Structure formats: C-alpha cells, structure tokens
Amino acid sequence: MPTSEFDQLSAEIGRSIVSRAAPQELPLYRSISQAYLQAPGDIQGKAVSKDEMLGFGMAEAVTYLTPVILPVLTSVLKFLAEEVKTSVHDQHLVGDALRKLFGRAPAGSKPMEVVLTREQLVQVRKLAFEKARELNLKDQEASLLADSIIGSLAVPA
Amino acid sequence: MVSTQVSLAQKTRLNPFCLPSDTGCRFALLIVTVLGSSLFIYDALALHRFDPKAYLSCLALQPSMAEVAGNIGSPMEIRDPSILVAKSAAFSKCVMRAQRISAEWMLGGVAALAVVTLAIVWFLPAIKVRRGRLEPLSAEDAPEVVACLAELSDEAGLRKRPRFLWNPLNAARSGLAFGRPGHPCVALAGGLVTEFYTDPAAFRAVMRHELAHVRNADVSKTYFAVASWYAFLAVALAPFFVSMDRGFLATQIWRVPFLALLVYLSRSAVLRIRETYADVRASQWDAEGGLARVIAVLPQVKESVWWKLWRLHPTPAERCHSLDHTENLFETGFWETLAAGLATGIAFPNVQLLLQTLVMGSVQVGILAASVFAILIAGIVGTRIWRSTLAALVGAAPAPKTGRLGLALALGLVLGLKFSFSAAFAVQAPVPGRTLVTFLWDGLLVIALITGSALFVRWEMISASAWLGTTATARSPLMMYLFAQAVSAVFLAVIFGSLVVAWQVGQTYLSVGLPGFAPLLLAGLLVVLTQPAFTFLLVALWAFPLAAWFWRASPEATAPSWVFLDQPTIPVALPQQESLQPKLAFRVGLVSGVVFSLLHLLIRLAWHFSLHGSTASNNAKITMYYSQILLAALVQLGAAALTAARVRRLPLLHALLTACTGAIIMAGAFLILNVTFGGSVDVKFASDFLQSVVNAGALFSLLLVPPVVIIRRRLL
C-alpha cells in the first residue's frame, strides 16, 4: 500500500476522531487535512518560531489535535497494515481491511474477518501515544488521542 | 504652570495617538545610531587607502603659528587678515582633495547599507511566507473566520484590507502583521484560527492587536528596524573586522561591542514600544474586554531591568497596566533622553567628518552638522516633551523635570562623542603647557552644553504648554506641533551650532599655542554680542511661546476631544492656567526705552557741549559707544526685573520681551540722536548697534532676572 494511500486513509478516519476528541476543529478539518496531504512533513508542534516573537506575544500553542492526529494515524495505519497482511490473502485488500478495522468498510466490499488481539491494541496505543508525544502533545493530550484511536477501532466483544 | 491639578486620568484615558508616537522616536534613534556608526566604519576602511603623502603636502600650505600669532594685535588694532585667509583656504582645499576618498567610502558604504536594508525589507515578507508555509486564508477554508476578519478590518478603519494568510498545520496561537510597505499582510497560525471556534473573543483580541499594527503604520518600521540590524552586521561590522589591522582592533575593539549593543538595544526598543501602542489602539475597538483577558493569561515573567531591555515584548503586567494607564506613554524619562543624546553624540562627529570632505570651512561644516542633529533632537526629544507637557496640562501626569532632562541630553551627547568611533582617531599632539587651558575650555563648553540642553528642554516645555492651550477648538494639535518642532529645530541648531563652532575655534586657538584663555573668552563674548544668530535665538526664546497669546482659548474652553482615547460622557473643563501678559511686558519695555532715550539725550548734550564733542579721539568714541550699550543693557535689566516681578506665568520670557522692546526703542533713539548731533548712520552700523543692544540686554536679563523670579516666588 503506497504512503499516499495511508495519508489519504488517515484523513478519512481522522474526521471521525476529531469529531469526538476536538469537535471545535471540525470546521477547519478539510483545509487542515488537505494541507497535510500536500505536505505531510510540515506539521509544526508547539515549538515557537522566531517570527512569532514579533507576533502577539502568545508564544504558547493551543491543544490543536487535527494536525497531530493525521501523522499519528498514518503511523498507526502503517503498523496495522503490517499486522493484517498475514490474515488478508489478497494484498490489494489491505486498505479495505484497515477501513473495516475502523468501522468504515466500503459498501459492497468482500466480507473478511479482521480482528486485533489485545496485545496488538496495546501496541497501537503505545505507538499512537509516542508519536503524539513526538509531536509535542502533552502526556494527557497524547493519552486522550491514543484512547480515541483505540476507541475508533472495531474491537470484538 | 498648571494652577489646578485635576486628575483627568481617573475619568478617562489620554489619547497617545494625538501626537507622533514614541515608536517613531525610537525608530529615528535607531537609524541615527546605525548611520553614525556605519559612517565611521567606512571612514576607517577608507584610511587603508589614504595617501599620507598627499596630506603632508597640504601641511606645507597652512599658515604657520608665527604668522597667526603675528596677525593678532590688540583689541583696538585692526590688521589685514587676507593673506592668512588665502593660505587657510588653500590648505582646506588641499585637505578636502586628500580626504575625497573618505567621502567616497562613507557615501558608498551608506548607500550599500541602504540597499541591503531595502533588499531585506523587500524580500523578508516572501521569505516569511515561504518559511512559514503560509497560504491565503479563503472563504472556502473558513467562511466565518474570513467574514470576521473583514469586519475587524473595517472596524480598524483600514483604507486597504490586509492580505490574510495562514498555516493550517501550525498549532501556535499567534498572529503576525508583516509585509512590504503599502502591502500589509497578517499571518494566522492554525491554532489561532481554531480559537475562533473555541474562544471568539480571544481570537478577535489577537486579531485586533495585529490590525492595530497596520493601523499604527508600524509594520514597515518594524521590518526596517530588523533589516537595519542585519544590514549593519553584514555590510558594516563584518567588513570592519575583516579589513582592520590588528593593532587598531586591539586598542579600539571595545567600541565595537558597545556600538553593536546600542544598535541592538535600539532595535529591541522599537519592537517593544510598538506592542504597547498596538495594545492601546486595539483596546479602543475591544468593547468585549478580550484583550485584557488574553494578555493577563500570558506567561508572567519576573525580570531585571537589564533583561527587559532585550525583550521584544513588554511584560504582560506592563501591557495590562498600559491598557488602563495610557498616561505612561506620555512620560519623558531620563534614560530615554540620555539615549537620544548618546545616539546623536555618536553620529554627530561622523556626519561632521563626511561634511568636512564635501563642504569647505570648519564653521560652515559645524553649523551644517549641528543643524542636521538639531532637527533630530528636536524631533525626538521635542516630541516627547510635547507629549509629557500635554499630560501635565490636563493633570494626568507631573510636568517633565527640565534640569534632569537637560542633564540627560547633555550627558548623552558628551558620552556619545566620547564613545563615537571618531574619538578613536581624534588624537592631537598636545602643545606643552596647553593641556590645562584646553581642559578648562572643554569644561566650559560642557557646562554650556548642559545649560543649553536644559534651556532647550525648558523652552520646549513652555512652548508646548502655551500652544497646546490654544488648540482647544482645533481638530488636531498636529499642525501646531509640526510648526513648533520646526522652530525648535532652528532654535536648537543655533545653540548647538554655536557651541560646536566655539569649541572648534577655541580648541584650535588654544592647541596651537596662541595666547590666553581670558582673551579667548573676551573675544567670544564680543563675537556673541554682535551675532545675528544670537539675536534670533533671544527673540525666538520669548516670541514663539508668547505668540500663543494671540490665539488664546476662552477660559470656559473644554478639553478637545482628541485629548482622550474614550470620549468622556460630559465635557471636561481644562485646568485653568494663569494668562499670559505680553501687553504689560510691552508697556514696561516702551517706558524703559523712553527712560534710556532721556538719559542718552542728557549724556549727548553733555558730550556735545564739552570738549569731547568736537575733538574726541577714536578711543573716546569707542568708549562712548560701548558705555551707551552698557547703559541700555542696565536700563533693560531694570525694566525686565520689574516685569518679572509683576507677571505670574513665564516671568522670564515676559522679561525678555520687555528687554527686547526697550532695546528697539533705545537703538532707534541712539541712532536718531547720533544723526541729530552730526554723526552718520549706515545700515551696518545701525544693525550692529541694534544687535549689540538687544543681545546685551537679553544676556543681562537672562543672567540676573532668574534670582528676581525666585525671590518673588518665595515671597508669595
């Protein structure tokens, strides 16, 4: 599965997570995800550039989840793609499998059994948390984001 | 000055935008500092290509010390100086030719500095857009935000809406006004745009602040300030370090960090003050109080004064305080005034150096250079004094302290001259035994500089007080302010120019071993007495402030609307000031003129009918001439003291008006009687006599009336 497809998928899945974790960011979601898809490496965390020193003076960043969710989801999706490869015989169906995991199986897609183990979910959470921390989210915020991602995965009862 | 102290500050905030802001003053200071320091650097670089042989050949042309000493006779003896003058002119021309390379380097260097600064200003916005990955914020991205920004731009009264850009992936909660001159842009971080949905009042507060920068027209100043610092580093300091020989660097290296530090701190001062003005401007539009709330939650920092100097923003506490107490923006502090003097003192010798290579004659150069800096000081310090005086007039702040500010200005000038790069080269071979007299001369000039600075500050304050009182019905005080600054620039140019010329002449006179400190003072006094510039100075001293009487406001006048930022619900009465009394001063002056005329008539009659009248020698005639000037000065002094004792407001200026009025009558009577008793009068004789009488009377009054004023105040 090419990288751009992961980014695309992150943008799709991200909307539902943002609507739960940071609904105030939804009006800007389309613009932000587009900007992210155009330049995924441009995410700026809470680091303050020198230019902002000439700005209003509020050097601090807000808890701004959308730009962080997207790269975190991309990492998570890459990890999950590797994990589901073994249970999906046709490699072209990895994308569908990932969508299914997030409860977004495309209409008319072939039925398939994709289930994550508890250990895999723990790994997903850890990965999401660490990536979010890497992007300068505070522990609490990173934890909230990781939990939101886990909550979005279709966990079997 | 103000008889009734009404604390209007408690009622409403003063409008800091009614006169030019301190951002402009600090910006001008920065430019002066950069320019002055750069000029020296390029002159130092030019010295590498300087041909000493050319200069040595010039030395052969200058008049010898023996020739100069031989041409000086007694005060009563006139000798033809044409040979000396011709030799001096030939020497000056030769030196100008030899120093042409310095002029080329200085002008070329400053041009390079200007080009680099402009290039940075031009390209910086594009770099910011690229580095900040900014893209236009369109209605497709966030229609509500775009609509809100349009509304805020209209609210700010901007003729042209800025271009709004954003970086959706930047989580910072900041905005930034930037752009090329005439093309403002405002950048929004994604975090700030999100805040529109979570805390719209905070979003609007930040945007109002950024739009206030555009409205205050400080965006270009900011980026010029930033660019000038980078250009100074790249085009002036770097070549200096690369090119200068180690011997020079070893002895003069300490000047470089000092000047670089001064330039850097001046830049930071510009960036810091503009934030306060933007906050105050934004607060006018922020009825919902979002601004104060947003500033209050900014991270609080406790810093020493030293560290505050480096910051690009005032502390949140200072910003919050300024929102409610705009009278702070009207203060004229000791250190700001000292900095103005310092920057001017540093730049002055370097500009003088440049002019020396372009214009002939040290006197002309001195006056020209002094005029340039008079405009700067009048613009920077004068503006601040006008602001402080306005605050004092409406009872919102204490009046500026004249002596303190005069001292700060003079101290800054003296320190600036010492710290200037030029001082590094100002090494003259001392003449044995002359050190003490040149030191005394320097000391005397420093005292004169302090007195002149204090006089200038006091005069600015008086003028501001008198003229601001006349603007009660005006829509803005700006025209009056501009006119006053033009007058004060000329006023200061005369003070500063005279001091520079006097210092140069004295230094040259004493350092080459010409006789006596006392003859120099006496000659200086005689020159002063017949100087038209000094007459102008003395007349301007009283004429400009007292002329405000013709446009005086009625006693019932209320404070004009431009004084306040927020319009008071009821008209605010202006604190009552004592009225000016030029009529009284004029009348006393007329009487003194008549008294002198009668006395002079008696003396003339005695002179005419005595033996002297028909056979008087030249010496006796000269004695008669000067004795009448002395008599006129004494009568003027008596009349001036009488006026000072009767007038409550500005007694010294009224006293000078009395003296001047009397002097004109006295000069007229003297000349008429001179013709009546068989003498002759030509234009030069008449103007010399008039100037001498005006100058002598005013000088006496300036020195002796202040004690009368002090005694009268104590008695009352």
Side-chain angles (χ1 to χ4, degrees), chain B residues 339-425:
Chain B
L342 195 64
T344 312
I346 287 167
F348 179 77
N350 301 314
V351 170
Q352 203 181 12
L353 207 62
L354 174 66
L355 290 173
Q356 270 166 7
T357 60
L358 301 171
V359 181
M360 234 178 74
S362 58
V363 172
Q364 286 88 333
V365 167
I367 289 174
L368 209 59
S371 304
V372 172
F373 287 99
I375 293 170
L376 286 170
I377 293 180
I380 297 168
V381 181
T383 302
R384 287 175 171 162
I385 293 170
W386 267 65
R387 295 171 64 84
S388 308
T389 308
L390 175 65
L393 262 178
V394 295
K401 293 184 171 71
T402 312
R404 207 172 130 81
L405 295 180
L407 181 68
L409 181 60
L411 203 61
L413 282 166
V414 172
L415 281 177
L417 291 169
K418 287 289 169 201
F419 277 119
S420 164
F421 273 136
S422 295
F425 293 135

Side-chain angles (χ1 to χ4, degrees), chain B residues 476-652:
Chain B
S476 158
L478 214 56
M479 286 307 292
M480 187 46 63
Y481 153 82
L482 287 174
F483 181 64
Q485 293 320 305
V487 176
S488 75
V490 179
F491 183 72
L492 192 61
V494 174
I495 297 180
F496 202 24
S498 309
L499 287 176
V500 168
V501 172
W503 182 75
Q504 281 174 339
V505 171
Q507 276 285 335
T508 311
Y509 181 91
L510 294 169
S511 62
V512 297
L514 290 172
F517 186 67
L520 181 65
L521 281 184
L522 185 68
L525 190 65
L526 288 175
V527 169
V528 162
L529 280 182
T530 52
Q531 276 302 304
F534 190 62
T535 313
F536 163 81
L537 179 82
L538 292 168
V539 173
L541 199 62
W542 59 263
F544 183 67
L546 295 188
W549 176 79
F550 291 105
W551 290 271
R552 60 196 180 280
S554 76
E556 294 82 31
T558 55
S561 59
W562 50 259
V563 171
F564 304 110
L565 204 56
D566 320 296
Q567 287 313 304
T569 47
I570 49 162
V572 178
L574 275 173
Q576 288 298 305
Q577 296 188 79
E578 295 283 352
S579 56
L580 298 171
Q581 294 170 276
K583 274 185 184 172
L584 171 77
F586 185 71
R587 276 200 304 269
V588 178
L590 283 179
V591 172
S592 74
V594 172
V595 169
F596 170 83
S597 304
L598 291 173
L599 288 174
H600 181 59
L601 179 64
L602 292 175
I603 293 167
R604 276 278 180 186
L605 288 169
W607 172 268
H608 186 73
F609 292 111
S610 70
L611 286 175
H612 289 107
S614 52
T615 60
S617 65
N618 277 345
N619 277 354
K621 283 179 183 169
I622 289 173
T623 309
M624 168 70 170
Y625 177 85
Y626 283 114
S627 70
Q628 293 312 289
I629 291 176
L630 184 65
L631 176 66
L634 289 172
V635 176
Q636 285 175 66
L637 173 63
L642 193 67
T643 301
R646 294 184 62 185
V647 173
R648 281 172 179 268
R649 187 178 170 202
L650 308 180
L652 185 58

Side-chain angles (χ1 to χ4, degrees), chain A residues 22-68 70-71 135 137, chain B residues 128 131-133 135 140-142 144-145 166-176 189-195 197-198 205-206 209-210 213 222-223 226 230 271 274-275 279 291 294-295 298-299 312-313 319:
Chain A
Q24 71 278 6
E25 293 177 24
L26 267 184
L28 299 173
Y29 187 80
R30 190 186 58 80
S31 303
I32 298 169
S33 58
Q34 267 179 5
Y36 173 73
L37 291 174
Q38 279 168 13
D42 283 355
I43 295 292
Q44 292 173 19
K46 294 193 174 185
V48 177
S49 75
K50 213 174 175 186
D51 283 352
E52 281 152 13
M53 297 303 284
L54 291 174
F56 181 75
M58 324 175 30
E60 283 197 354
V62 288
T63 305
Y64 186 36
L65 282 183
T66 312
V68 180
L70 296 170
L135 290 165
L137 279 197
Chain B
K128 272 188 186 301
R131 280 181 54 193
R133 306 200 194 289
E135 52 192 63
E140 275 182 22
D141 293 319
E144 306 92 336
V145 178
W166 77 316
N167 178 350
L169 299 180
N170 183 351
R173 202 167 39 145
S174 68
L176 174 73
L192 179 65
V193 180
T194 307
E195 203 156 51
Y197 300 99
T198 55
V206 176
H209 173 94
E210 297 307 327
H213 282 304
T222 303
Y223 287 95
V226 172
Y230 288 130
L271 302 181
R274 78 185 193 113
E275 298 298 341
D279 283 342
L291 189 64
V294 169
I295 294 173
L298 290 175
L312 304 185
H313 282 85
R319 289 175 74 174

Side-chain angles (χ1 to χ4, degrees), chain B residues 272-488:
Chain B
R272 216 168 32 247
I273 193 72
R274 78 185 193 113
E275 298 298 341
T276 307
Y277 276 90
D279 283 342
V280 173
R281 176 79 81 184
S283 72
Q284 277 184 284
W285 312 317
D286 184 44
E288 55 197 341
L291 189 64
R293 181 167 60 81
V294 169
I295 294 173
V297 297
L298 290 175
Q300 298 289 336
V301 276
K302 280 189 179 176
E303 285 173 342
S304 66
V305 174
W306 171 247
W307 282 113
K308 278 180 189 170
L309 292 175
W310 298 84
R311 288 178 65 90
L312 304 185
H313 282 85
T315 62
E318 287 166 342
R319 289 175 74 174
C320 280
H321 189 259
S322 295
L323 286 179
D324 293 330
H325 299 275
T326 53
E327 68 274 11
N328 290 353
L329 295 171
F330 288 76
E331 280 173 10
T332 307
F334 180 88
W335 295 107
E336 286 94 348
T337 311
L338 186 126
L342 195 64
T344 312
I346 287 167
F348 179 77
N350 301 314
V351 170
Q352 203 181 12
L353 207 62
L354 174 66
L355 290 173
Q356 270 166 7
T357 60
L358 301 171
V359 181
M360 234 178 74
S362 58
V363 172
Q364 286 88 333
V365 167
I367 289 174
L368 209 59
S371 304
V372 172
F373 287 99
I375 293 170
L376 286 170
I377 293 180
I380 297 168
V381 181
T383 302
R384 287 175 171 162
I385 293 170
W386 267 65
R387 295 171 64 84
S388 308
T389 308
L390 175 65
L393 262 178
V394 295
K401 293 184 171 71
T402 312
R404 207 172 130 81
L405 295 180
L407 181 68
L409 181 60
L411 203 61
L413 282 166
V414 172
L415 281 177
L417 291 169
K418 287 289 169 201
F419 277 119
S420 164
F421 273 136
S422 295
F425 293 135
V427 180
Q428 279 184 314
V431 174
R434 287 274 130 188
T435 319
L436 181 64
V437 282
T438 49
F439 178 76
L440 275 176
W441 182 244
D442 283 353
L444 194 71
L445 265 293
V446 169
I447 292 168
L449 187 64
I450 294 170
T451 313
S453 300
L455 185 69
F456 163 72
V457 172
R458 176 79 183 144
W459 184 81
E460 273 282 357
M461 213 178 89
I462 286 169
S463 302
S465 162
W467 281 102
L468 282 168
T470 68
T471 52
T473 52
R475 286 178 63 191
S476 158
L478 214 56
M479 286 307 292
M480 187 46 63
Y481 153 82
L482 287 174
F483 181 64
Q485 293 320 305
V487 176
S488 75

Side-chain angles (χ1 to χ4, degrees), chain B residues 187-248:
Chain B
L188 295 87
L192 179 65
V193 180
T194 307
E195 203 156 51
F196 173 81
Y197 300 99
T198 55
D199 188 351
F203 170 84
R204 282 194 289 270
V206 176
M207 288 321 299
R208 280 179 177 131
H209 173 94
E210 297 307 327
L211 292 169
H213 282 304
V214 181
R215 172 70 192 274
N216 289 353
D218 67 29
V219 177
S220 299
K221 286 187 195 111
T222 303
Y223 287 95
F224 265 109
V226 172
S228 64
W229 165 246
Y230 288 130
F232 177 70
L233 287 181
V235 191
L237 271 189
F240 178 77
F241 276 112
V242 171
S243 309
M244 293 311 288
D245 62 72
R246 287 182 184 175
F248 178 81

